[in-house]
Amino acid sequence: MSDTTEKTASSHITNFLRNIINEDLEQGTNEPRHWRGAPGTYTEQMEGPVDEAKVRLRFPPEPNGYLHIGHAKSICINFGLAKDYQGRCHMRFDDTNPVKEDQEYVDSILGSVNWLGFDWKDDKEINYYFASDYFDYMYEIAEHLIKIGCAYVDEQSADEIRENRGTLKSPGVNSPYRDRSPEENLRIFREMREGKHPEGSMVVRSKIDMASRNINLRDPAIYRIRFAEHHRTGNKWCIYPMYTFAHPLEDVLENITHSICTLEFEDQRAFYNWATERSVPITRAPLFEKAAAYIGELAGKDFEAQKPFMEAAVKFKWKLGQTADERKVFEILTAIKEDPAKLSAETAKTVLDAVSANPAVFTPLLQDVLSQTVKANYFLLPHQYEFNRLNLTYVVMSKRKLIALVKEGLVDGWDDPRMPTLVGLRRRGYSPEAIRLFCERIGVSKQTGAWIDYSVLEGALREVLDAQADRRIAVQDPIKLVIDNYPEDQTEEVETPNHPQHPERGSRSLMFSKELWIERSDFSENPPKGYRRLTLATAEKPAIPVRLRHAYVVEATSVEKDADGKVVTVHAKYYPETRSGSAGANNVKTKAAIHWLSCKEALPAEIRLYDRLFSVPKPDSGEEDFRTLINKDSKTVCKSYVEPSLKLAKPEDRFQFERNGYYVADQKDFSADNLVFNLAVALKDSFGK
């Protein structure tokens, strides 16, 4: 690892993924790889120079929905690691299902990744790909698997396949079509491609092991018929690869070094390896030919030279599949395992001759054996690593449930500020820096079952906006304050800083006048214990004086009410000598300061207060219908007033409205003539209080 890479990588908190990458770089596990500047087989990659990117990662969403905060964790991991190790992260869409995919989702996903601060292009490369770019390659690989007896066409119904798959306690049942000849399977597969068979009438399945303890290895389907127009390839294809088959092949063709995904894919890792290793004669032809030549040479050497290969083959005999040649070798290696004395020149010759005669069916075994005895990661294949997914309280992240929220009108669209989608969080007022900080804080591990409280996400936003956001005044729930002893036509300018901790950001002027707007909560006729803001005098207590921030001390004297008995105006007197910054500012002692706006210059605004969408921490638990758990107070619209400077704001500008919280000018609805602000996060966590 270069000094630059080591310095950059070591500046971050270590985790198991960084440890893996560091070890691979030290051992040269993925070197030397060639890169022609675009995906392809290794024969094609050899046309290019040695890949300067020691690490290639990818972010591979399916374009069938909007990204949510859980995806942000994966984005930050993959793009972040690529950046830290001077590598590349590919932006790739796994668009293998034409029924559920749409360009709308593609555009949204690209926008969210860029918004988070990451890119798939630089001055040397543009790594923007689709699984559909590789359909021709995948079809060729599927034909190869059929030809070598590792895949077959199954005409059972979907229900029959499901029933015959078995359970965790019982093995599956072989399909009656499993032993068709490669020639027959190939003929039918080509007919499937030509559209000669109805949708759902058959699938192509890998031939692995119907008795495997891992159900994902019980001959999973790799191709199905689907008469649907694809958003990129149109009607060129009527057969499409399954996601679990296509995904590992995409990684191989893109020269990915580390395939990083969440833990729910851990059980799929065995099939991931099966697909990448079985594709070697097509995807890694130069290395496959080199391996075949090596085995041929080794077969002609003496037993001592062959012994390391044989010992490793015994160790990895479980990698052998169910073709006749593999079964023959498996029996020999099993016998040696049971009785090491059977490892001899004769058994070594038998095994090496079998492998040399048909190396294409032995690539899974060769990958591990040659990686141990010749060179690490002999065929330069990607490896899958899993990390814990994000479990965040008070949200649902199931794609099905998010779609239901939108389609059933329970929220105001995918970008509703209460949604955990990235477009929703952006409209809420979250910044890219805050989401990246959140993802860094929650860390990366393999621990399952841990829940991150929503307050951690909010805390990251507060920390970022505390430093970034200029201060402004907004009166959210207004009542009028009339200062009876202030001159009717007099106004004064009051200077207030844009950010108290950053004087270099300057200040702005606010007008002070006889009639002001104040927050309704800053006056109480019947104050609770400990209340320190405006109250009226009673027989037992005098009125409490309060400072109007940056202005004068006032004291309430009377109120006006509407027909319903609701206070609409508070009358007060002010102490002229107490102006802030003057010699008499402290002549009247106060215990609180409140904010205000002059009625003459305040601008009307709509302020939307958002809280957590659900009222319970785990609405996705399945114990109740998540729809019934929606927090009915999760959105409140206020007719408010804001200071005049906010007329100059632009959509997505963020501010701290003093004493209230952090707000954002709405991305869609805000304009100079329609001031709309969304509550991003309160100054402190008050949920449930």
Side-chain angles (χ1 to χ4, degrees):
M1 181 164 56
S2 69
D3 292 340
T4 303
T5 302
E6 188 171 7
K7 181 179 179 180
T8 304
S10 63
S11 64
H12 293 78
I13 298 174
T14 190
N15 56 52
F16 79 99
L17 292 174
R18 290 183 180 276
N19 292 339
I20 289 168
I21 293 174
N22 289 339
E23 184 177 348
D24 285 344
L25 291 174
E26 290 169 3
Q27 296 179 357
T29 300
N30 297 296
E31 298 178 11
R33 292 172 302 114
H34 289 258
W35 179 247
R36 62 169 179 159
T41 65
Y42 209 64
T43 302
E44 295 167 316
Q45 298 297 0
M46 291 289 286
E47 298 170 1
V50 171
D51 194 352
E52 68 174 30
K54 304 300 184 185
V55 172
R56 280 193 185 271
L57 308 174
R58 81 290 171 274
F59 175 61
E62 297 177 68
N64 59 1
Y66 283 74
L67 300 183
H68 54 60
I69 186 65
H71 293 110
K73 179 177 179 179
S74 181
I75 292 169
C76 291
I77 289 172
N78 283 286
F79 281 95
L81 286 172
K83 179 180 179 181
D84 293 345
Y85 287 95
Q86 287 81 55
R88 298 287 190 278
C89 184
H90 296 187
M91 182 70 233
R92 180 220 300 156
F93 289 96
D94 271 318
D95 57 340
T96 59
N97 187 349
V99 175
K100 296 184 178 180
E101 293 151 4
D102 194 275
Q103 188 63 38
E104 173 191 355
Y105 300 130
V106 172
D107 295 339
S108 171
I109 291 169
L110 294 176
S112 291
V113 173
N114 276 158
W115 175 71
L116 278 177
F118 300 107
D119 209 337
W120 49 89
K121 56 190 175 188
D122 55 33
D123 56 351
K124 294 183 179 180
E125 295 185 18
I126 300 177
N127 291 299
Y128 175 50
Y129 309 115
F130 289 81
S132 52
D133 295 338
Y134 317 131
F135 282 171
D136 288 301
Y137 290 117
M138 293 173 188
Y139 179 82
E140 181 183 2
I141 293 166
E143 281 208 349
H144 165 73
L145 294 175
I146 289 173
K147 289 174 183 177
I148 64 173
C150 289
Y152 62 98
V153 177
D154 192 351
E155 296 183 48
Q156 293 183 103
S157 68
D159 289 340
E160 289 172 329
I161 291 175
R162 191 179 304 110
E163 183 179 347
N164 291 334
R165 196 182 186 195
T167 68
L168 292 174
K169 296 181 179 180
S170 62
V173 177
N174 285 352
S175 166
Y177 304 97
R178 197 172 194 266
D179 294 327
R180 271 179 170 157
S181 69
E183 294 76 18
E184 180 73 359
N185 283 312
L186 190 59
R187 178 186 65 78
I188 301 174
F189 183 46
R190 289 173 177 172
E191 290 177 352
M192 290 170 60
R193 179 180 181 178
E194 294 166 7
K196 293 182 178 180
H197 297 283
E199 187 170 310
S201 62
M202 56 188 66
V203 295
V204 178
R205 298 176 69 180
S206 53
K207 186 186 289 188
I208 306 178
D209 184 3
M210 289 300 293
S212 174
R213 285 179 292 180
N214 184 344
I215 291 184
N216 296 297
L217 293 180
R218 294 181 185 176
D219 292 10
I222 61 174
Y223 260 91
R224 81 285 211 192
I225 301 170
R226 186 61 60 84
F227 292 105
E229 184 172 341
H230 191 278
H231 74 112
R232 296 187 74 248
T233 62
N235 294 309
K236 177 182 177 181
W237 297 90
C238 63
I239 56 171
Y240 291 93
M242 303 298 289
Y243 170 83
T244 51
F245 177 64
H247 180 77
L249 300 182
E250 295 156 31
D251 284 351
V252 176
L253 293 165
E254 291 181 21
N255 250 6
I256 299 303
T257 57
H258 302 79
S259 181
I260 300 172
C261 58
T262 48
L263 275 167
E264 61 259 41
F265 292 98
E266 186 174 28
D267 288 343
Q268 288 286 354
R269 191 199 316 151
F271 183 67
Y272 180 98
N273 293 339
W274 184 93
T276 59
E277 292 164 357
R278 290 289 179 186
S279 73
V280 158
I282 305 297
T283 61
R284 293 290 186 263
L287 300 175
F288 171 69
E289 291 163 5
K290 184 178 178 181
Y294 173 80
I295 297 301
E297 293 173 5
L298 190 61
K301 293 185 177 181
D302 60 36
F303 177 58
E304 286 304 312
Q306 298 168 345
K307 196 171 182 181
F309 178 94
M310 288 297 297
E311 290 173 340
V314 172
K315 177 181 177 182
F316 295 111
K317 62 183 177 64
W318 58 272
K319 297 294 291 285
L320 292 165
Q322 297 189 350
T323 65
D325 288 344
E326 290 175 279
R327 293 295 88 196
K328 176 183 175 182
V329 170
F330 181 81
E331 291 174 3
I332 295 172
L333 297 178
T334 300
I336 296 172
K337 174 71 175 177
E338 294 172 353
D339 182 3
K342 291 183 178 179
L343 176 54
S344 63
E346 181 181 356
T347 53
K349 183 178 187 314
T350 302
V351 169
L352 288 166
D353 284 347
V355 175
S356 183
N358 191 8
V361 302
F362 288 99
T363 49
L365 179 70
L366 291 176
Q367 165 65 6
D368 281 6
V369 171
L370 297 182
S371 294
Q372 177 171 301
T373 60
V374 180
K375 181 204 170 292
N377 194 10
Y378 189 89
F379 292 124
L380 298 177
L381 297 175
H383 192 84
Q384 177 177 304
Y385 301 96
E386 308 88 13
F387 64 91
N388 58 337
R389 66 176 293 172
L390 171 62
N391 294 314
L392 186 66
T393 59
Y394 295 101
V395 301
V396 296
M397 288 193 282
S398 156
K399 192 172 293 183
R400 177 179 59 82
K401 292 180 179 178
L402 291 175
I403 290 173
L405 287 172
V406 174
K407 289 191 173 181
E408 295 174 22
L410 300 172
V411 294
D412 302 326
W414 287 101
D415 63 349
D416 187 306
R418 294 166 293 177
M419 289 280 274
T421 55
L422 293 184
V423 291
L425 289 168
R426 178 177 180 174
R427 195 171 178 189
R428 176 74 171 261
Y430 277 80
S431 68
E433 297 88 344
I435 292 180
R436 293 199 302 266
L437 176 61
F438 169 71
C439 291
E440 182 178 335
R441 281 183 171 168
I442 61 178
V444 181
S445 75
K446 281 185 167 288
Q447 180 184 354
T448 60
W451 284 80
I452 304 298
D453 193 81
Y454 198 85
S455 62
V456 179
L457 176 62
E458 292 178 320
L461 180 59
R462 285 192 195 95
E463 182 169 325
V464 169
L465 293 187
D466 181 56
Q468 289 184 351
D470 279 348
R471 276 43 173 171
R472 293 293 184 264
I473 303 296
V475 179
Q476 203 160 266
D477 184 13
I479 58 171
K480 186 174 288 187
L481 177 72
V482 178
I483 306 174
D484 293 322
N485 63 330
Y486 193 85
E488 186 75 35
D489 298 325
Q490 180 173 313
T491 60
E492 298 179 57
E493 284 192 352
V494 174
E495 282 295 310
T496 183
N498 288 325
H499 197 299
Q501 283 79 50
H502 294 278
E504 71 278 5
R505 296 189 191 177
S507 62
R508 78 268 184 213
S509 295
L510 294 176
M511 179 191 294
F512 186 84
S513 63
K514 183 182 183 70
E515 294 189 357
L516 308 173
W517 294 115
I518 64 170
E519 293 285 357
R520 181 172 298 277
S521 60
D522 285 337
F523 171 79
S524 178
E525 285 189 284
N526 301 295
K529 184 178 180 180
Y531 190 80
R532 297 182 175 185
R533 285 160 282 167
L534 285 171
T535 63
L536 295 173
T538 65
E540 294 79 21
K541 292 182 180 180
I544 301 176
V546 170
R547 175 168 294 283
L548 299 176
R549 297 187 71 180
H550 310 297
Y552 297 95
V553 173
V554 297
E555 187 177 298
T557 56
S558 65
V559 298
E560 296 178 28
K561 299 182 180 181
D562 62 15
D564 297 324
K566 184 178 181 180
V567 174
V568 292
T569 303
V570 177
H571 289 268
K573 65 179 180 180
Y574 89 115
Y575 295 90
E577 73 277 12
T578 61
R579 176 165 173 153
S580 295
S582 70
N586 296 320
N587 283 359
V588 178
K589 300 299 181 183
T590 61
K591 294 183 178 180
I594 64 174
H595 62 273
W596 52 269
L597 286 172
S598 169
C599 293
K600 290 183 178 180
E601 70 165 6
L603 299 177
E606 179 178 296
I607 293 181
R608 299 167 180 170
L609 305 180
Y610 292 104
D611 211 328
R612 302 175 194 187
L613 182 56
F614 292 95
S615 57
V616 298
K618 298 179 182 179
D620 215 3
S621 65
E623 296 176 5
E624 296 181 63
D625 184 345
F626 72 100
R627 298 169 182 82
T628 67
L629 302 174
I630 290 178
N631 174 16
K632 293 180 175 57
D633 298 321
S634 61
K635 178 181 179 181
T636 304
V637 178
C638 301
K639 298 302 180 183
S640 309
Y641 290 97
V642 298
E643 66 173 79
S645 66
L646 288 169
K647 191 179 182 70
L648 303 176
K650 296 179 177 59
E652 295 195 87
D653 282 353
R654 302 176 185 87
F655 304 94
Q656 184 194 101
F657 288 173
E658 294 188 31
R659 297 180 64 228
N660 282 326
Y662 296 96
Y663 295 73
V664 64
D666 188 78
Q667 186 183 23
K668 287 185 175 180
D669 298 334
F670 179 92
S671 70
D673 299 320
N674 185 43
L675 307 184
V676 180
F677 296 92
N678 300 329
L679 173 64
V681 64
L683 292 178
K684 59 182 179 179
D685 184 13
S686 59
F687 180 75
K689 295 183 181 179

